[in-house]
Amino acid sequence: MAMRILPLPQAWAPWNPDWILLLLIYWAVAAPDRVGVGTAWLTGLMADALTGRLLGQQALAYSVVVYVGVRFHRRFQLYPMLQQAFVVVLLLGLGLLLTLWTRQIRGAGSALEGYWFAALSGGLVWPLACAVLDGLRRRFGAV
């Protein structure tokens, strides 16, 4: 969660991926019996409180994205890393789209300049994040 609120220079801020959602996608695919929609909802509520957003905004986005991840986890695991990264870009984009949708419903203006860069950067860091999390998972014997 600390990486979610990491202060970055103005030029780099749009490229900061949603690290929490990236982690939830990983665990939804790696251990769908342990991390599911309920975990995503609670994590989203904590992220909403952390970032000061409308309560439930991130929770909705996280739970929908994790549902898709859990639903297709077997197929996702068979994909090569490049294809997984592409799917992660789509999943992160879905999360951003749901967040944008909830912002539009409540009437908040949205600056779309660089809004989708976070999904692209999340796809770029997916292979590294996957390697690090796989190593940690093996080292600590989780799942």
Side-chain angles (χ1 to χ4, degrees), residues 7-62:
L8 292 174
Q10 188 67 21
W12 294 5
W15 291 95
N16 190 15
D18 190 346
W19 294 101
I20 301 169
L21 186 55
L22 203 62
L23 187 67
L24 284 170
I25 291 169
Y26 173 82
W27 284 109
V29 170
D33 55 331
R34 295 186 185 211
V35 175
V37 176
T39 305
W41 179 262
L42 291 174
T43 306
L45 287 177
M46 287 189 288
D48 287 331
L50 178 72
T51 58
R53 292 188 178 180
L54 180 67
L55 196 62
Q57 183 177 13
Q58 293 296 111
L60 171 69
Y62 289 1

Side-chain angles (χ1 to χ4, degrees), residues 29 66-77 79:
V29 170
V66 167
Y67 171 77
V68 173
V70 168
R71 176 77 172 87
F72 297 107
H73 77 277
R74 292 191 195 276
R75 187 175 303 169
F76 186 87
Q77 290 172 348
Y79 293 157

Side-chain angles (χ1 to χ4, degrees), residues 4 8 13 20-21 32 38 40 51 63 68 70 82 87 98 102 104 108 111 116 118 129-130 133 136 141-142:
R4 177 76 171 136
L8 292 174
I20 301 169
L21 186 55
T51 58
S63 59
V68 173
V70 168
L82 184 61
V87 172
L98 289 169
T102 56
Q104 293 293 329
W116 304 103
C130 216
L133 291 170
L136 288 172

Side-chain angles (χ1 to χ4, degrees), residues 62-126:
Y62 289 1
S63 59
V64 169
V65 170
V66 167
Y67 171 77
V68 173
V70 168
R71 176 77 172 87
F72 297 107
H73 77 277
R74 292 191 195 276
R75 187 175 303 169
F76 186 87
Q77 290 172 348
L78 297 175
Y79 293 157
M81 188 56 68
L82 184 61
Q83 195 169 357
Q84 281 184 13
F86 178 72
V87 172
V88 166
V89 168
L90 294 177
L91 290 174
L92 291 173
L94 175 62
L96 288 171
L97 183 66
L98 289 169
T99 303
L100 181 64
W101 177 65
T102 56
R103 287 174 58 189
Q104 293 293 329
I105 286 177
R106 70 180 172 119
S110 61
L112 291 177
E113 297 173 16
Y115 187 74
W116 304 103
F117 292 163
L120 292 174
S121 65
L124 291 173
V125 300
W126 176 255

